[in-house]
Amino acid sequence: MQSRILTTGTLLAATLVLASCKFGGSSSSSSSDGPPQAGQPPNILFVIMDDVGIDQFESFGYGGMKPPSVPSIDALADNGLRFRNAWAMPECSPSRASFMTGLYPMRTNIQQAIGPNDLANSHVSPYVMTVPKVLAAAGYESGLFGKFHLGGPENNPAGIAAPAALGWEHFKGWGGLPASIDTTAGGVGEEGQYACGFVPHAAQGGAHFGACYIPTGDGGASCSEITGQPGGDSAGLQCLTQGGVLVPEQNCESTPPAYVNFERENAHYVSRLLVNWEDDVQELSLSDPRSRGYRATIEVDTTIDWIKSQPADQPWMATLSFSSAHTPLQHPPRSLVPSGAADILTADCSSAAPLNQRNVMDTMVEALDTELGRLLVETGIASRGDDGSLIYDPAASNTVVVVVGDNGSFGPTVKLGFDPGRAKGTAYQTGVWVPLVVSGPMVEQPSRNVEHMVNVVDLFSFFADVAGVDLEQTVPQGTDAEEMYSYLTEPDRDSVREFNFTQGGLNILANDAVNGPCVFNGNFCSHTPMSAQVCADNNGVWWGQGANVGENGVLKEVDHCWQVNQALYEDQGGDYQPIEMGPTVYMAIRDDEYKLVLNESMDYDIATDSGVLVKTREFYRVDQAVPQPALDGEGDDLLNPEPRLSPAEEQRLAELEYQLELLLASQKACPGDGNGDGVVDQEDIDNHSRLASQWGGSSLYDFNHDGLTDAQDLAIIQANLGACPQ
């Protein structure tokens, strides 16, 4: 069987939450090749880059000694605006939820990257107004292509139909992170033999040529013989790019050798493709040709096809959610790296080759940019000059283009001038400061830098303004988004935001569990990686359930980071060197000049032989100078080791603390309110009844967080009827 169709029961559960969103459009029979209609609101192309911080971009003033080549994004910026002071959340799912709901993480309970064990309580609620639901009020058709990572299929009543449940008429892509690199390259090598997931050139321990077997989707496979290109891709990478498995130094046979395995995931090249396409909801197998090939190319191909299918009189929003450049870092096809940066890549993609990982990151960002340029040209949003350069005319297609990073860069890939120890997964500048480019026909004085603070949550308001939707009427519950559209039309606009905010923490797992401990560089423990696989893919060592006790020097498997220090102390006694505890609650608030950072973590206390809560309060001057910003680095805290504040700075600190207190206090608990409408009423009872009878598992109505929607949760609803504050 080549695909898993959504079962009737799961589909019914999904449709319970679709009442407020437009679903099942009729766009497949038309083309958008015609000119935009007069008076029609602009189309929207929203491009999300994964783990790409502002430190990577020369056009924003940074990029280190060797920035990635991004001519497509540069062309958009030259004809639009560079928002040089944009904050995201510290990790991908919280930022993506903020884009799409206009809400901070404390309101969605999505505090970190969503993992398979996270309950539905930490997925985007199917009852919330998302961007596609808001834009449907203005007649927009919405498609999402690439990485979803907003919830499901695990622990979610909608299962693989989660994108449809959140309002997207069309989705093709991946549920979340890329899987690990298949170091057997499809079964042809031993585990660990091919560190980048493909057979490299012969000079790098691979092969000069081989038989490339490509599954046909019906249980069979085609075959062609491929030779490595001098100065180009190896035969193995060529074959992998085509969706195949290379049998090195062999000619084609009628059937692949028995050891060839088409059912192994392989990072950015082999992943189960999820489809929510009108009434077609399915998960394709790994041997389905549509699940195979370079992710960024598949993501762009699908986006192009969908945009070109839209009728000229139908406004649309296409969200291109790249998987790049998330770990595992893996070579892109060399054809997508015209700068020649791929020439220096080696065949070692492991953490043992940090320089190669940084170089691979550069090529992945460049490949992303190359594919984005192809999309712009093939959809008529841009064209090519005689010299091959991208020519972008914002008015030609009546399309607004937004490009943003979802969080700061992954620590080992951070560029010089930024702090790799305080990168993605932290509330420090390197972890949350992201590039944001906005282009469109309404931009006055293009190629401007906007230095005012914006937050990725503000994009929710921006998309509504582009579409002409009144948010106060469409989302009466309100949002955390501030207006940012006026920055496009008013070059001298004062700052809208007085303060900016970011936060991260732990998601909700059953019975108060947490992701297992992952130790980086032997000296820092984090609960961010959601599994042993993700821990290893990010160059960490797993100490949670299933840890290799002998390899790690662990006396026992542990559940919490503080227990790693406990185990080390038990093993090493007074000679033990404690490792640093990554925060489990982290947030920051800033104004134009100063920044307050709060962290909380649990650490091991020798005296009590138990965990103890540790809180830190840090205060920094903000300096975003080009090309060498002085960020919130270790040693720059104005409160430690001794406070050294002027009276004016003491006042700034007090104001930031007050504003943070107000913001956190604005989130009111409302036990029994599963649909988030601010009241506990008969609708909550009815919703619970349907979910309990037709699903029974994790849902927004699992109030005691035991992974079940049952009578105990109903009792909480009944006990709180009419009790929530207004």
Side-chain angles (χ1 to χ4, degrees):
M1 184 174 177
Q2 297 304 310
S3 61
R4 189 178 77 191
I5 307 298
L6 195 68
T7 64
T8 302
T10 309
L11 183 58
L12 179 57
T15 59
L16 293 176
V17 297
L18 292 174
S20 64
C21 68
K22 179 181 167 206
F23 185 62
S26 58
S27 62
S28 59
S29 62
S30 301
S31 171
S32 63
D33 291 341
Q37 302 298 294
Q40 182 173 303
N43 303 316
I44 302 170
L45 173 62
F46 181 34
V47 181
I48 305 170
M49 303 179 292
D50 203 341
D51 287 3
V52 182
I54 199 171
D55 60 296
Q56 303 289 330
F57 288 90
E58 187 174 26
S59 64
F60 281 81
Y62 308 110
M65 296 178 63
K66 188 172 66 65
S69 174
V70 288
S72 302
I73 295 174
D74 288 347
L76 292 169
D78 289 343
N79 289 277
L81 304 183
R82 301 173 195 85
F83 285 86
R84 270 197 12 94
N85 203 347
W87 265 17
M89 302 306 135
E91 293 186 44
C92 49
S93 294
S95 283
R96 291 160 190 265
S98 295
F99 299 152
M100 298 304 179
T101 68
L103 301 172
Y104 288 137
M106 62 182 172
R107 309 197 198 285
T108 64
N109 289 322
I110 302 172
Q111 302 271 358
Q112 64 184 142
I114 297 172
N117 297 319
D118 293 346
L119 298 183
N121 309 81
S122 284
H123 298 187
V124 173
S125 168
Y127 305 104
V128 75
M129 287 298 288
T130 59
V131 166
K133 294 179 185 179
V134 168
L135 266 59
Y140 276 71
E141 191 91 353
S142 294
L144 171 60
F145 312 102
K147 180 181 173 183
F148 178 61
H149 217 185
L150 295 174
E154 299 89 357
N155 292 324
N156 191 304
I160 59 175
L166 297 185
W168 280 281
E169 288 91 352
H170 300 91
F171 167 77
K172 281 187 181 178
W174 334 100
L177 310 178
S180 297
I181 290 174
D182 174 16
T183 58
T184 74
V188 302
E190 301 295 327
E191 292 285 351
Q193 183 172 351
Y194 299 121
C196 294
F198 59 86
V199 179
H201 285 292
Q204 297 176 318
H208 178 61
F209 77 99
C212 179
Y213 292 95
I214 302 175
T216 55
D218 56 4
S222 63
C223 185
S224 61
E225 293 170 7
I226 295 181
T227 301
Q229 302 169 352
D233 288 333
S234 69
L237 184 52
Q238 292 179 60
C239 181
L240 183 62
T241 300
Q242 296 174 32
V245 171
L246 186 85
V247 178
E249 308 294 349
Q250 298 293 319
N251 299 115
C252 287
E253 302 288 347
S254 57
T255 59
Y259 53 78
V260 170
N261 188 347
F262 296 127
E263 294 296 335
R264 293 182 68 104
E265 291 183 292
N266 192 352
H268 287 264
Y269 283 91
V270 183
S271 309
R272 289 181 177 85
L273 187 72
L274 304 181
V275 177
N276 288 196
W277 209 267
E278 298 181 347
D279 295 328
D280 182 19
V281 181
Q282 56 181 308
E283 179 182 30
L284 307 182
S285 73
L286 294 176
S287 59
D288 190 302
R290 292 168 291 178
S291 293
R292 309 178 70 86
Y294 189 54
R295 268 199 183 197
T297 298
I298 294 172
E299 290 158 355
V300 165
D301 284 344
T302 308
T303 309
I304 290 171
D305 290 344
W306 184 79
I307 289 175
K308 293 175 73 172
S309 77
Q310 299 307 297
D313 60 353
Q314 168 74 63
W316 50 261
M317 178 175 176
T319 298
L320 169 56
S321 181
F322 279 114
S323 300
S324 296
H326 198 286
T327 54
L329 301 175
Q330 193 175 28
H331 299 52
R334 193 176 296 240
S335 61
L336 301 181
V337 192
S339 72
D343 294 346
I344 61 175
L345 300 184
T346 73
D348 188 356
C349 292
S350 70
S351 58
L355 178 59
N356 191 55
Q357 287 210 323
R358 295 175 69 87
N359 292 334
V360 172
M361 165 72 171
D362 289 344
T363 62
M364 293 181 75
V365 175
E366 182 174 344
L368 172 160
D369 184 84
T370 299
E371 288 292 48
L372 174 58
R374 179 168 68 90
L375 180 150
L376 296 172
V377 171
E378 292 193 19
T379 57
I381 298 173
S383 60
R384 292 287 180 192
D386 293 338
D387 60 354
S389 61
L390 191 74
I391 301 174
Y392 168 61
D393 179 0
S397 64
N398 194 31
T399 301
V400 172
V401 183
V402 177
V403 183
V404 70
D406 65 351
N407 47 247
S409 300
F410 174 52
T413 70
V414 166
K415 296 298 187 184
L416 289 177
F418 288 74
D419 192 340
R422 296 186 166 194
K424 172 190 174 182
T426 76
Y428 298 104
Q429 284 288 88
T430 304
V432 302
W433 191 11
V434 296
L436 172 59
V437 171
V438 179
S439 300
M442 68 289 292
V443 173
E444 295 290 338
Q445 297 181 17
S447 200
R448 279 187 284 129
N449 288 340
V450 177
E451 302 290 345
H452 301 308
M453 292 181 292
V454 296
N455 193 291
V456 295
V457 76
D458 301 338
L459 289 170
F460 187 84
S461 172
F462 176 73
F463 294 138
D465 285 340
V466 170
V469 175
D470 184 340
L471 268 187
E472 290 188 5
Q473 180 178 355
T474 308
V475 189
Q477 293 89 349
T479 72
D480 294 304
E482 298 283 0
E483 185 272 327
M484 61 177 284
Y485 184 95
S486 59
Y487 290 125
L488 279 64
T489 58
E490 302 176 33
D492 297 325
R493 179 75 165 90
D494 290 335
S495 180
V496 175
R497 279 188 170 271
E498 293 183 64
F499 305 96
N500 216 343
F501 175 71
T502 188
Q503 70 176 140
L506 301 178
N507 286 345
I508 299 172
L509 277 68
N511 304 313
D512 298 321
V514 297
N515 294 335
C518 180
V519 175
F520 297 97
N521 302 318
N523 60 13
F524 181 84
C525 188
S526 172
H527 288 288
T528 293
M530 61 193 69
S531 67
Q533 170 188 309
V534 176
C535 176
D537 288 341
N538 287 273
N539 306 332
V541 176
W542 183 252
W543 287 56
Q545 297 301 310
N548 187 327
V549 172
E551 175 184 321
N552 297 347
V554 188
L555 301 181
K556 57 186 177 183
E557 296 176 344
V558 296
D559 297 321
H560 298 273
C561 276
W562 69 265
Q563 293 171 323
V564 174
N565 272 343
Q566 181 184 48
L568 292 173
Y569 179 75
E570 291 174 354
D571 185 47
Q572 301 167 12
D575 295 330
Y576 111 105
Q577 295 295 317
I579 64 175
E580 182 181 353
M581 298 287 101
T584 52
V585 175
Y586 40 104
M587 64 188 69
I589 188 169
R590 62 162 289 188
D591 58 22
D592 284 331
E593 298 181 68
Y594 292 91
K595 176 178 183 180
L596 172 67
V597 180
L598 300 182
N599 291 316
E600 294 183 12
S601 62
M602 294 291 294
D603 204 351
Y604 174 57
D605 179 59
I606 296 175
T608 61
D609 191 32
S610 63
V612 60
L613 181 64
V614 178
K615 297 184 179 182
T616 64
R617 172 173 162 264
E618 304 165 33
F619 187 55
Y620 300 92
R621 294 187 185 94
V622 176
D623 177 358
Q624 299 177 171
V626 172
Q628 191 73 26
L631 304 177
D632 41 11
E634 189 173 354
D636 296 326
D637 180 7
L638 297 176
L639 300 178
N640 290 301
E642 295 292 337
R644 49 188 191 278
L645 305 182
S646 68
E649 288 172 333
E650 290 178 349
Q651 185 174 353
R652 289 288 189 91
L653 174 59
E655 178 65 16
L656 287 175
E657 290 179 321
Y658 174 69
Q659 292 296 333
L660 180 59
E661 182 180 351
L662 281 181
L663 179 59
L664 296 178
S666 69
Q667 179 59 22
K668 306 291 187 182
C670 188
D673 177 22
N675 60 5
D677 63 357
V679 295
V680 183
D681 55 15
Q682 185 63 42
E683 186 174 349
D684 291 302
I685 293 176
D686 294 342
N687 288 340
H688 174 276
S689 176
R690 287 193 295 269
L691 286 163
S693 63
Q694 300 178 23
W695 170 245
S698 174
S699 77
L700 270 295
Y701 283 89
D702 171 21
F703 298 112
N704 61 356
H705 301 162
D706 63 356
L708 302 173
T709 303
D710 56 16
Q712 295 181 43
D713 304 302
L714 178 60
I716 293 173
I717 298 174
Q718 293 171 330
N720 288 279
L721 285 172
C724 283
Q726 295 300 312

